[in-house]
Every structure is written in C-alpha cells, then in structure tokens.
Amino acid sequence: MGEAGFEQTNGLRDDELVRASFQPLLAAYKEASAANGDLTTLFRSWTSGQRALFISYSYIVHVIESPQEAYWWSAFFMAQGRWAALRASADELDAKLFADMLSDIQTELHRRGHPIALAEAHRIQREDLEQDDTLGRFFVEVYERLTSVAAKDVIARSASAMRLAPEEFRLQT
C-alpha cells in the first residue's frame, strides 16, 4: 500500500488490514520475479516488518487450504530455503503459537529427511499423507492448530504491529 493510502486503514478489520498491506508486496514480488528473477534486492529494500508480513502471510494463504496443502507447502518452503525466514517472521511478529507450530512441523519433517533439495521437490506429493498414516495424522493436527489459533494469531499480531508502527509496513512508491 502506498504512502498516501496507509492512514486510511484504521477502520479495517485485522484480516482486511493484513490483506491490504500484503497486496502491494505481492505485486512488487511478482514484478521483480517477472523482470529479472532477482528477489534479493527487493527483499533487502523492504523493512523487517514487510519481510515478516510477506513470508508469513504467503505461507498462511497456502497452508490454510487443507492438511495436504499444509504438508506440501511446508516441505516446499524448506526445500526453497525459506524456512529460516518463515521462522524469523514468527519471531518478528512475536507470534508464539505460530512459532511453536512451525517448530513442530520442522521437527517432524526433519525426522523424515527434509529439507530435500529444491531440484527434488517434485518428490513431495500431497498424497503422501494418504500413504503415511502417522504423517497424515500429524498434518491434520497441524491444520487444526493453524485454523483454530495460529493463523489468527499471526494476523492479529501483524495488524497490531501495523497499527503501532505503520512506517514499518508502508511500501514506498
């Protein structure tokens, strides 16, 4: 969201504020990806709050769909090398419930040989949960935690941080 529009967000619900703040970051990400694929410069230009919002919300919008998506995207974030940034975002937002859930996911996936190389990410199949009852039960539990408290916690803490320090989340245009 540009400099001028940010102050108009006070009447928004937490989820609306987070989504409205995420959209310009996503647009900048897509533009940088399409232009040259060098995202390092883009991420370095963002504040720590913007990076935390982008990585955590990107993850949540994917994994909130189902236990299978929670598994696939978690394993994919690990394979991409984005897991450390995701964990750091939970710390940045002081989202302990989210951080605890990520820690549990990391432990379970490490137990199963993750992270795998990005080139091997095609081996990660959503159907793995149907083939492995223990893994399936684990991600059903993760999904329940995510939908009942963890995602709401991240969104509430993100919105609170935005209202307390809007300059941290303002995308300069």
Side-chain angles (χ1 to χ4, degrees):
M1 142 176 346
E3 177 78 33
F6 200 91
E7 284 73 20
Q8 299 170 359
T9 62
N10 284 339
L12 297 177
R13 293 187 327 251
D14 288 353
D15 61 319
E16 294 170 332
L17 176 57
V18 169
R19 193 172 23 261
S21 299
F22 174 76
Q23 289 305 321
L25 298 174
L26 180 60
Y29 172 85
K30 287 179 177 180
E31 183 179 317
S33 292
N36 61 15
D38 178 25
L39 300 173
T40 303
T41 302
L42 174 67
F43 290 143
R44 285 187 181 148
S45 73
W46 289 353
T47 66
S48 61
Q50 289 169 322
R51 287 188 300 269
L53 171 64
F54 184 78
I55 192 83
S56 62
Y57 196 71
S58 295
Y59 177 79
I60 286 171
V61 296
H62 289 296
V63 301
I64 201 80
E65 295 299 317
S66 68
Q68 292 79 9
E69 294 301 306
Y71 164 67
W72 193 90
W73 283 101
S74 296
F76 187 65
F77 266 57
M78 281 189 173
Q80 283 183 310
R82 293 185 180 174
W83 197 257
L86 183 59
R87 295 284 308 267
S89 77
D91 294 338
E92 173 79 19
L93 297 169
D94 195 28
K96 181 162 177 27
L97 297 171
F98 186 55
D100 290 347
M101 185 190 75
L102 294 175
S103 180
D104 292 346
I105 292 170
Q106 182 175 336
T107 298
E108 184 64 25
L109 290 180
H110 278 180
R111 201 175 301 154
R112 294 167 178 283
H114 291 274
I116 61 171
L118 187 55
E120 297 295 314
H122 66 278
R123 293 184 325 162
I124 305 165
Q125 300 294 316
R126 288 164 180 86
E127 294 77 22
D128 292 348
L129 299 187
E130 296 165 13
Q131 316 273 323
D132 182 333
D133 289 340
T134 304
L135 186 64
R137 282 191 304 275
F138 175 81
F139 273 96
V140 165
E141 178 188 310
V142 161
Y143 181 72
E144 288 170 1
R145 287 168 63 189
L146 180 69
T147 57
S148 66
V149 291
K152 293 171 189 166
D153 183 48
V154 169
I155 290 169
R157 289 179 182 279
S158 296
S160 177
M162 288 176 209
R163 290 184 175 105
L164 291 172
E167 67 282 355
E168 246 325 278
F169 297 91
R170 210 177 264 123
L171 187 60
Q172 302 300 320
T173 55

